Amino acid sequence: MADTYDVVILGGGAAGYTAGIYAVRSGLRTVVVEQGMPGGQIATTDMVDNYPGIPHISGAELGQRFEEHAASLGVETVYAMVTAVGHSEQEFILETGPSGPIEGRALIIATGAVPREVGFEGERAFRGRGVSYCATCDGMFYRDKTVFVVGGGNAACEEAIYLSHIAREVIMVVRRDEFRAPKGIVDELNEVPNIKVRFNTSITEIRGERFIADITFRDNVTNEVVVEHFDEGTVGIFVFAGTLPVTDLVSGYVELGPDGGIVTDENMATGFPGLFAAGDVRSKRLRQVITAASDGAIAATSAYHYLRQ
C-alpha cells in the first residue's frame, strides 16, 4: 500500500525544494520527487552569479545545497521517474513504476521548463561551455567578448539588447529574412551600435576543445557554408528559440497559457483543487532561479491553507 504524504512536490529544483522547506516548516509531511539531480535546470549551469548572498557558485553545487537544506528540516527526497499522475477522491497518486506509487493530499508541480534546442551539431556538447540559453544567468561571463544570439523573436531581441551592455559585440543569427519580434523592440535593437544582424543565416556546427573555437554558418538562400575561427573562451552562443514547460504529466488537470506553461492565480493554485504549480513550469514572464524559489514558497503556503480548510 502506498505511503500518503500531506504534500508531494514533483521536481527538485529551486521551486521544488523551496516549497519543501516551507511545507515542512508548516508541519506538513513532505516529499520531493526528482528524476535527475537536485537543482533541476540550474544544475546544468556552469556558474551562478545572480542568486542573492551566494556569489560565484556552480549550478550543481547550488542544487545540492537546496537538497541539503531541505533534508536538514525533514523534507524527504525520492529519486524516481514518474510515469503518470492520477487522482482519487482524497489524494493524488504518482506512479513510479517499480518504485511503487506515491500519494499526497496536495500536489505541487515544479517540473520546470527545458530550453528549446536549435539542433546544430555540437549544441548539447558545448552547453555550459560556450552555449547558453539564459543571458541573465550567463551574460556576465562574456564581458567584452563576442556573442552570437540565435533567434529572431521577442526574447532573442530583448536578450541581445541586454547582452549589448556586457559584450563587446553582439551578432544576431536569424534564419529568416526578418525578425518575428514586434516593431517596437526591433526599432530599439536597431539603435544599439554594437548589435549586428545576419539574416537568412543558421549555425550548423560548432567545434573546439574545451570551449568553442570554430562556428559553421550557412546562408539559407544560397546554401553557402562559411567556417569562422575564434580563440577558445572568447566567444559565446546564446540560443533563444523558446522554452518548453514540462507539463505532460498534468496536462489533463490544468489550463495552459500561450507559452505552454501552467496557468495559476497569484497563490500558485491551478483550477484543480489541491493542485499547485511553481517555478518555470508556470505561465510567466521571467524564469529565473530566484523567481522559482519565490513561487515555491507561495505554493507551499497555499497548500498548507488548502489542507487546513
Side-chain angles (χ1 to χ4, degrees), residues 63-86:
Q64 189 64 45
R65 289 194 186 187
F66 289 156
E67 182 189 33
E68 291 171 353
H69 185 179
S72 71
L73 296 172
V75 178
E76 298 179 47
T77 295
V78 172
Y79 286 97
M81 174 74 75
V82 176
T83 58
V85 173

Side-chain angles (χ1 to χ4, degrees), residues 260-296:
I262 297 173
V263 175
T264 71
D265 63 17
E266 64 180 9
N267 297 314
M268 306 301 136
T270 70
F272 194 93
L275 180 59
F276 304 87
D280 290 2
V281 74
R282 288 182 61 228
S283 181
K284 59 192 298 187
R285 180 177 179 83
L286 183 63
R287 290 183 166 97
Q288 290 284 289
V289 62
I290 191 66
T291 61
S294 174
D295 286 356

Side-chain angles (χ1 to χ4, degrees), residues 3-8 29-31 76 78 102-106:
D3 199 3
T4 300
Y5 293 86
D6 294 318
V7 179
V8 175
R29 186 164 180 243
T30 305
V31 63
E76 298 179 47
V78 172
I102 298 172
E103 297 182 357
R105 296 194 294 141

Side-chain angles (χ1 to χ4, degrees), residues 138-168:
D138 299 329
M140 293 303 295
F141 300 114
Y142 297 92
R143 180 171 294 281
D144 299 324
K145 298 179 181 180
T146 296
V147 297
F148 290 90
V149 172
V150 178
N154 190 67
C157 290
E158 287 183 345
E159 300 291 6
I161 293 171
Y162 175 87
L163 288 166
S164 72
H165 299 292
I166 302 170
R168 176 179 60 83

